[in-house]
Amino acid sequence: MLDIFRCPIDGSPFKDKWVCENGHSFLEINGIIDFLSNEKTENSDILEKVAPLYEQLWAPIGLFLTSGGNTYSSIMKEAGEFISGNIVIDVGTGTGKIFDYTKCEVCIGLDISTKFLRIMKKKRAHVIAVRANANKLPLANGIADGVSAMFVIHMIPSKLAVLSEVFRVLKKDGKFVAVILTKNNFVSEFLARWWKLDLFSIDYYLKLLKEVGFEKIEYKKLGAWTLFKCAKP
């Protein structure tokens, strides 16, 4: 498993758990590989508070009300089936719900929240829990058959950096799926104000995806949200 990971500081391979060839060391605690143990990170206070209820109540009710009647499970199912493959990575995984619908031999759930990753390990023990930043994925080039980023990219300031990292870790013909809050209606504008986010149009994200190099780009509006599908050529 070590061969698919890279040091997030300098990109060097790991020679041991979890010490890279240049001597940078990281921790694995209670099944969570922590690449952020020496960094200060910020996560949404609201999400941290609702973490124990996120999968059962917060996400299902919130998505039903804001996505035009689509269900949380149906959205995750469509995304999970799209990216199924040998190695699959979910960026901003939360509780790892997408892995209920994803067929993968190596399943990696990545998040900055220890609380969410602990919940994921209890619910989905087969998923490798990784605490890391999305704009510096601790993974080797061209290793993933599929990558997802569900309900997270709009919350990250460095959107181009995240998409570039996703593109880097994907194999040729690897698939990427994301659901992003976009400037679709008054609901998306309300959510953006509530979360204190900059809200961008679908065209803005289409331009970013093309700039990074993605092809076969498709999108579908889901109320306040937009589901994007694409592939690495």
Side-chain angles (χ1 to χ4, degrees):
M1 185 177 70
L2 280 178
D3 60 331
I4 68 173
F5 287 92
R6 291 292 183 272
C7 175
I9 296 173
D10 60 18
S12 61
F14 284 93
K15 63 179 183 179
D16 200 358
K17 280 192 171 182
W18 290 95
V19 182
C20 78
E21 288 183 348
N22 292 321
H24 302 115
S25 61
F26 305 91
L27 302 174
E28 182 173 351
I29 302 173
N30 297 323
I32 299 173
I33 306 166
D34 192 348
F35 292 105
L36 297 176
S37 55
N38 297 320
E39 295 185 29
K40 184 178 180 180
T41 59
E42 293 184 8
N43 198 23
S44 166
D45 289 338
I46 295 174
L47 289 178
E48 287 289 300
K49 290 175 182 176
V50 303
L53 301 174
Y54 181 85
E55 188 176 313
Q56 292 82 4
L57 293 174
W58 182 268
I61 294 173
L63 263 294
F64 183 79
L65 293 174
T66 62
S67 68
N70 292 280
T71 66
Y72 178 53
S73 294
S74 67
I75 295 170
M76 299 301 267
K77 183 174 186 292
E78 180 175 353
E81 291 176 349
F82 179 71
I83 58 167
S84 288
N86 183 38
I87 299 178
V88 172
I89 303 160
D90 183 34
V91 177
T93 194
T95 62
K97 178 67 175 176
I98 197 168
F99 292 108
D100 288 356
Y101 309 105
T102 305
K103 293 180 181 179
C104 44
E105 294 297 321
V106 179
C107 314
I108 300 172
L110 184 145
D111 209 295
I112 63 171
S113 169
T114 302
K115 183 178 287 187
F116 271 103
L117 290 172
R118 285 173 181 161
I119 294 170
M120 183 187 74
K121 288 302 292 183
K122 288 181 180 178
K123 288 177 172 286
R124 300 167 181 97
H126 69 290
V127 180
I128 300 168
V130 176
R131 184 167 179 259
N133 274 322
N135 58 5
K136 193 174 279 191
L137 297 177
L139 296 154
N141 296 346
I143 54 103
D145 298 280
V147 178
S148 54
M150 306 297 287
F151 311 106
V152 66
I153 288 179
H154 50 274
M155 303 185 78
I156 300 173
S158 50
K159 295 168 178 55
L160 183 60
V162 173
L163 293 174
S164 297
E165 279 292 274
V166 169
F167 190 85
R168 178 183 66 80
V169 302
L170 277 170
K171 294 178 181 177
K172 185 181 185 303
D173 299 322
K175 296 178 179 179
F176 174 55
V177 64
V179 174
I180 304 174
L181 185 70
T182 49
K183 193 179 291 185
N184 292 357
N185 54 27
F186 74 93
V187 177
S188 57
E189 292 176 359
F190 168 79
L191 291 173
R193 288 195 298 270
W194 187 41
W195 290 103
K196 298 178 181 178
L197 302 173
D198 292 325
L199 187 64
F200 298 97
S201 67
I202 291 173
D203 285 342
Y204 170 83
Y205 287 103
L206 291 174
K207 182 180 178 182
L208 286 185
L209 290 168
K210 291 175 183 176
E211 182 178 340
V212 169
F214 283 106
E215 295 182 357
K216 299 179 182 178
I217 303 170
E218 303 175 3
Y219 70 89
K220 177 170 65 174
K221 287 185 180 181
L222 303 170
W225 312 86
T226 301
L227 185 147
F228 295 89
K229 293 179 181 178
C230 54
K232 179 177 179 176

